Amino acid sequence: MNIQEISARLAGLAVFRGLLDDPVLADYSALIGALARGAGRQAVCEAAGRFEAALFAADTDDLSGYIAAAVLECENICARRAARGALSPALEQALDSELQFLEALSAMTLDGLLEAAGCDAGGFAFLPRWTAHPTGLANAYKARLSEMGQRGYGMFARHHVFMLSEEGRLTPVRHPDPQRLADLPGYEREREKIIANTKALLAGLPANNVLLYGDAGTGKSSAVKAIANEYAPQGLRLVEVKKNQLYLLSDLMDKLAANPLKFILFIDDLSFAANDDNFAALKAILEGSAGGRADNIAVYATSNRRHLVKETLSDRAGDDLHEADTRQELMSLSARFGLIVTFQRPDKALYSQILLQLAKQYQLPIPSDQLITRGEAFAIRAGGRSPRAARQFIEQCRAGVL
């Protein structure tokens, strides 16, 4: 291909047009455009320098690898249609054509571009050279299409934990909590129920919304995060939602419903005042709204309150003529979670077991009886036994504080 053909093909991308929004590839396109226009040596050098600086700033000099990664993770109509098994012949033809072009483009060196433009490479010998090599991009992308249910596309291919912004946009969490199931001692029976429900979600079977209820510090949130980390390679993604964002969930669920991946909408430390507007919003989402819940989404919430609603003695002695109906309304929200898992404060035996397992993980050379005695004393000062108190004690021992 000559440089005008390359420039025209790049400008005419349709399936992979989103690549042109990538800052590095936008600068690459500008370099190709400068060569295609026959811009002067100064303008070409300036475009080349800007592009190479952007590539190097991305912590690589491998243009082939950069383009391949961008193509494999690009969110586009073919990725979405293929995930639903609905790729039309016209789209498939466009996809094949653009993949062949992008594979050829990714293998081009600076000298190759200059040759395609009819320029003397010797006049640009001082410019840095990037790395380029064959990638097998077309075949790799076709293989990726068959794995959309596990790998996803776009930002869902690069990240597995997300936050919901105030505007309702998903924002990737670049450094999620690295918690793993193997790092969580105790409460195996409780977590096994949640794991089984998550496996059903991943398998496309009916899965329940889950309420993790119990004392503070017992590992409810850690269990959800560890499960998200454990099953991310199988297509699980976690979206953390704040209580004041519940009104955004209906639109979010509509957007995620067509995605081939499976999603846990995670609401941490959930509780409501009796007159909280978010109460009705979550109630409608869990059950009872006209739209229903998509098969690839489940809501997991943690709370220290069994019925989720803060209640005082004055509430019971109020002037409500139909107090029983009101109390039933307040209690109905937790009943809409199909699975309720209780995390109770550990007794002495379980607390001792947690201490010993954590000490083994952290390789603490402390005799077991001494460890348990000191750990019990720490728990009393910390307000009671809990896995959180046990981990804090072990970490302080490791740091030499205790």
Side-chain angles (χ1 to χ4, degrees):
M1 290 185 291
N2 61 35
I3 198 66
Q4 285 76 24
E5 176 71 12
I6 294 172
S7 181
R9 292 286 300 272
L10 192 58
L13 287 177
V15 174
F16 291 101
R17 194 157 194 83
L19 295 177
L20 301 180
D21 295 328
D22 181 290
V24 175
L25 298 183
D27 286 336
Y28 189 42
S29 177
L31 169 60
I32 292 171
L35 288 168
R37 292 192 308 272
R41 182 168 178 261
Q42 183 76 18
V44 170
C45 288
E46 183 177 346
R50 186 179 299 110
F51 159 64
E52 291 177 317
L55 181 65
F56 298 158
D59 198 27
T60 184
D61 64 354
D62 181 4
L63 177 62
S64 302
Y66 188 93
I67 291 178
V71 169
L72 290 173
E73 296 173 356
C74 181
E75 181 173 352
N76 58 69
I77 185 172
C78 287
R80 293 192 293 270
R81 291 274 184 93
R84 302 196 301 269
L87 195 59
S88 68
L91 282 176
E92 191 162 3
Q93 183 178 356
L95 176 65
D96 289 340
S97 176
E98 292 191 10
L99 282 173
Q100 294 296 333
F101 164 67
L102 290 168
E103 182 171 343
L105 182 66
S106 69
M108 295 199 74
T109 62
L110 176 58
D111 290 334
L113 283 180
L114 293 171
E115 181 181 350
C119 297
D120 179 13
F124 301 90
F126 59 89
L127 289 174
R129 263 53 177 173
W130 59 79
T131 302
H133 52 81
T135 58
L137 179 57
N139 289 334
Y141 192 83
K142 290 298 183 67
R144 174 64 66 88
L145 285 181
S146 67
E147 300 174 346
M148 282 296 172
Q150 289 76 42
R151 301 289 295 273
Y153 48 75
M155 64 179 177
F156 298 111
R158 297 187 294 273
H159 307 279
H160 74 281
V161 179
F162 302 84
M163 299 285 290
L164 192 61
S165 73
E166 296 303 325
E167 297 79 25
R169 293 194 301 269
L170 287 178
T171 304
V173 176
R174 302 188 183 279
H175 304 287
D177 188 336
Q179 193 76 255
R180 308 295 297 191
L181 288 172
D183 299 332
L184 300 178
Y187 298 92
E188 287 82 2
R189 185 175 60 181
E190 288 81 1
R191 285 196 297 274
E192 192 55 45
K193 298 175 183 177
I194 308 165
I195 291 170
N197 190 74
T198 305
K199 288 180 177 179
L201 176 68
L202 289 169
L205 302 172
N208 288 301
N209 297 315
V210 183
L211 175 62
L212 292 76
Y213 149 75
D215 296 299
T218 49
K220 302 182 295 295
S221 300
S222 294
V224 176
K225 294 174 183 177
I227 287 171
N229 292 336
E230 200 78 22
Y231 293 98
Q234 298 182 30
L236 184 65
R237 300 295 182 264
L238 182 75
V239 180
E240 189 161 355
V241 181
K242 298 176 183 176
K243 191 187 76 170
N244 62 357
Q245 297 176 319
L246 293 178
Y247 72 96
L248 298 169
L249 281 188
S250 181
D251 288 341
L252 175 63
M253 293 170 81
D254 286 343
K255 293 175 184 176
L256 296 179
N259 197 297
L261 299 171
K262 312 299 182 183
F263 294 89
I264 290 175
L265 305 184
F266 178 43
I267 312 166
D268 197 18
D269 197 18
L270 183 62
S271 65
F272 297 99
N275 59 349
D276 195 329
D277 291 339
N278 290 302
F279 177 89
L282 181 58
K283 186 177 176 183
I285 289 166
L286 293 175
E287 183 184 341
S289 63
R293 175 169 63 89
D295 293 338
N296 65 329
I297 299 171
V299 177
Y300 286 18
T302 69
S303 180
N304 297 338
R305 297 175 179 273
R306 172 65 176 80
H307 295 297
L308 302 177
V309 180
K310 297 177 183 178
E311 188 180 12
T312 65
L313 289 174
S314 62
D315 293 331
R316 298 197 178 199
D319 57 0
D320 192 341
L321 294 177
H322 302 284
E323 187 219 357
D325 290 347
T326 301
R327 284 177 52 75
Q328 186 64 33
E329 172 71 12
L330 295 178
M331 295 172 62
S332 67
L333 181 59
S334 61
R336 290 173 188 260
F337 288 91
L339 177 61
I340 299 177
V341 183
T342 304
F343 286 69
Q344 295 179 334
R345 189 179 295 275
D347 58 17
K348 183 175 181 179
L350 179 55
Y351 183 70
S352 298
Q353 175 191 337
I354 292 171
L355 282 172
L356 293 172
Q357 291 186 35
L358 287 175
K360 185 177 180 180
Q361 285 181 23
Y362 284 79
Q363 298 181 340
L364 282 182
I366 302 176
S368 298
D369 55 347
Q370 184 180 348
L371 182 78
I372 292 171
T373 300
R374 291 170 58 188
E376 282 285 346
F378 181 89
I380 292 172
R381 296 194 299 272
R385 302 185 189 103
S386 71
R388 180 185 298 161
R391 188 173 294 276
Q392 289 171 346
F393 168 70
I394 295 295
E395 288 176 348
Q396 290 186 34
C397 286
R398 187 186 187 193
V401 177
L402 296 175

